[in-house]
Amino acid sequence: MKMTSKGIFENNYDDYSTEVANNILNESKDGLSERFLAKLQNFKSNKMHVLTTKMQNDIFYDGTIYTGSSGLALYHFTCALGKNKNSYESLKAALEYINIENLKGRRISFLCGDAGPLALATVISYKIGTRRPDNLPDYKILAQRLMSLIHLLNDSPDELLYGKSGYLYALLFVNKYITEKEVIPANHIEKVIVAILNSGKQFSAQMKSDSPLLWQWHDKIYFGAAHGMAGILYMLLQARIYINAIDIRNFIKPALDWLLNQRFPSGNFPSSLGSSSGDRLVQWCHGAPGFVPLCLLAHQIFEEDKYLKIALQCGDVIWRRGLSTKGYSICHGVSGNAYAFIQLYQATKKPLHLYRACCFMEWCAVERSGTELHRPDRPASLFEGLVGRLYLAEDLTRILDAKFPALCL
């Protein structure tokens, strides 16, 4: 495979046309062909066998969603959502990979902290109901444990992977999947939002920024989804029913517009303010892929065409430059980039985007020699390794319900 000067593989897939897409999409071009679905099923079966035999020890590197066993639990939970029958078996399988007894109590986020395993266990406990095993507490007890993590709030950063925004996702996740009123009370969620907004307002004032909200992580003003403004703003917009209209109008929307004005002429985004890496990274954690869900949600909320236009331009950037040499991961590889096309398809229903998502899935499944130049640190994990590809394959079979893990509600 030929590499470009920007450290990516050239995209040699033909772009969408009706003829080219015939083997991948169905006749009406609103779903996958039987042939491609069979390939995905074969991929999932083979890789799940490898995962649970040869890679068994790697699964339990830690208990987190990001690098550990709870990532596989989240996969099984997602499989359960797509089943009208036998969802109980998938939920039971998920429980095998959640260990809520050994949580460290040091980190607050869904992805890299205690909030992920607790939120997932809370929802599974609720869904299983009276059939839950003896070692799984009642969902109300688990929800209280999740809420008790708020004592870590002031000592946590604001970003998604380790910080307050990741905790906010966990709270919203529980309330989405548990239909009883206010399992997590509104005032608890509002405390988290206020802390994020206050931090953003204070740092913006300190920096005398043109953006009314600004956050830092490790002494840098990151822009992307994992550690930066795109992820934080996206989480706040998903939680907008808990935010007053003045904060949305005077702070969140102007910060969003300021952020989008930082784009490179190419349509990609810098990793951080004043970044020395230049226009290089096209991956979910840093670059255009993490901005697609933000722009699509902004278009839905504010009904301004500029947001959809930027999202579509990001899609073109990802198609041209999204075959990352770092490999197939969700965080900084091709699986994560494929989700941008899924999100664009969900918003527009144009088969171009579904076709592009399938091409990136094919790249991740075939594993052509030399296309993963950086072996993942955690090869069995959700965000760096094989579970992420399984998650993407599962989501492509339920395309309108697909959600980027630990980000989209």
Side-chain angles (χ1 to χ4, degrees):
M1 297 301 301
K2 189 175 178 182
M3 242 187 347
T4 74
S5 60
K6 290 187 181 289
I8 54 171
F9 291 110
E10 278 187 3
N11 185 347
N12 293 321
Y13 289 105
D14 292 323
D15 207 354
Y16 176 80
S17 69
T18 305
E19 295 74 25
V20 167
N22 277 339
N23 287 332
I24 291 178
L25 304 186
N26 61 19
E27 200 170 319
S28 54
K29 303 297 184 281
D30 61 357
L32 309 187
S33 69
E34 290 298 322
R35 182 178 174 184
F36 197 77
L37 280 169
K39 285 183 176 180
L40 285 185
Q41 188 54 51
N42 188 48
F43 169 78
K44 287 193 292 181
S45 298
N46 289 341
K47 292 301 185 182
M48 185 56 77
H49 176 72
V50 170
L51 186 72
T52 52
T53 53
K54 296 178 183 177
M55 303 176 77
Q56 180 74 12
N57 291 337
D58 290 327
I59 294 171
F60 291 94
Y61 167 72
D62 62 23
T64 69
I65 300 279
Y66 187 98
T67 48
S69 60
S70 290
L72 185 52
L74 187 62
Y75 168 78
H76 284 299
F77 175 78
T78 301
C79 291
L81 295 177
K83 295 176 180 175
N84 294 323
K85 295 179 181 178
N86 299 325
S87 64
Y88 173 72
E89 293 303 318
S90 290
L91 292 173
K92 207 166 71 168
L95 287 176
E96 294 177 24
Y97 298 99
I98 302 173
N99 187 342
I100 55 172
E101 303 308 316
N102 289 339
L103 299 178
K104 307 290 187 201
R106 295 188 199 129
R107 285 183 177 158
I108 200 172
S109 70
F110 187 89
L111 275 170
C112 295
D114 290 6
L118 280 172
L120 198 49
T122 301
V123 173
I124 293 171
S125 177
Y126 172 78
K127 285 185 172 290
I128 288 179
T130 55
R131 292 188 289 177
R132 63 185 169 82
D134 292 340
N135 64 342
L136 181 66
D138 180 74
Y139 76 93
K140 291 178 182 174
I141 294 170
L142 290 166
Q144 286 297 322
R145 281 189 64 183
L146 177 62
M147 289 170 61
S148 73
L149 292 176
I150 201 165
H151 78 275
L152 297 169
L153 195 68
N154 292 335
D155 295 324
S156 299
D158 299 288
E159 46 83 85
L160 189 71
L161 245 64
Y162 301 106
K164 301 181 186 79
S165 296
Y167 184 51
L168 177 58
Y169 176 86
L171 302 175
L172 298 174
F173 177 90
V174 168
N175 274 3
K176 173 175 178 166
Y177 290 111
I178 297 183
T179 52
E180 288 191 16
K181 189 179 178 184
E182 285 203 333
V183 178
I184 309 293
N187 64 354
H188 189 86
I189 294 172
E190 286 161 4
K191 284 177 189 172
V192 180
I193 291 168
V194 167
I196 295 169
L197 287 173
N198 284 346
S199 178
K201 291 172 186 178
Q202 288 163 12
F203 188 60
S204 169
Q206 179 186 327
M207 297 300 291
K208 298 181 172 58
S209 173
D210 290 335
S211 171
L213 296 171
L214 207 65
W215 297 274
Q216 66 173 334
W217 186 73
H218 285 203
D219 301 321
K220 282 189 179 180
I221 298 165
Y222 281 99
F223 289 158
H227 302 298
M229 291 181 70
I232 297 169
L233 290 171
Y234 181 63
M235 209 53 62
L236 290 172
L237 287 177
Q238 288 189 106
R240 61 193 177 278
I241 62 168
Y242 301 99
I243 305 175
N244 69 61
I246 294 170
D247 275 335
I248 291 175
R249 184 177 66 246
N250 293 347
F251 290 92
I252 293 175
K253 188 176 186 298
L256 167 66
D257 290 337
W258 177 88
L259 175 63
L260 297 181
N261 281 333
Q262 309 305 309
R263 273 196 309 164
F264 289 120
S266 70
N268 193 29
F269 285 86
S271 60
S272 61
L273 187 63
S275 169
S276 59
S277 62
D279 184 1
R280 191 171 57 84
L281 301 175
V282 180
Q283 52 200 47
W284 171 76
C285 48
H286 302 295
F291 284 79
V292 170
L294 173 64
C295 291
L296 291 174
L297 185 55
H299 176 248
Q300 178 189 324
I301 296 168
F302 302 118
E303 299 181 336
E304 293 181 23
D305 287 343
K306 66 179 181 182
Y307 298 121
L308 178 59
K309 185 179 178 183
I310 293 171
L312 292 168
Q313 289 169 345
C314 285
D316 289 336
V317 169
I318 298 160
W319 177 247
R320 292 193 309 271
R321 298 169 51 193
L323 295 178
S324 170
T325 59
K326 292 180 180 177
Y328 317 120
S329 77
I330 280 188
C331 183
H332 39 261
V334 182
S335 290
N337 291 351
Y339 270 95
F341 300 130
I342 291 174
Q343 291 149 356
L344 286 165
Y345 175 74
Q346 290 170 336
T348 67
K349 304 300 184 292
K350 291 186 177 177
L352 159 77
H353 306 298
L354 182 53
Y355 167 79
R356 287 177 168 183
C358 291
C359 289
F360 275 37
M361 176 73 246
E362 194 267 355
W363 177 274
C364 294
V366 172
E367 302 175 21
R368 292 173 182 84
S369 177
T371 58
E372 186 179 46
L373 300 188
H374 303 271
R375 180 172 165 77
D377 292 334
R378 303 298 158 208
S381 67
L382 173 60
F383 266 68
E384 294 181 6
L386 179 55
V387 176
R389 284 187 281 160
L390 289 170
Y391 201 105
L392 173 63
E394 176 66 25
D395 264 353
L396 279 169
T397 67
R398 46 193 291 277
I399 192 67
L400 293 180
D401 295 317
K403 309 280 187 201
F404 192 104
L407 178 76
C408 302
L409 290 157

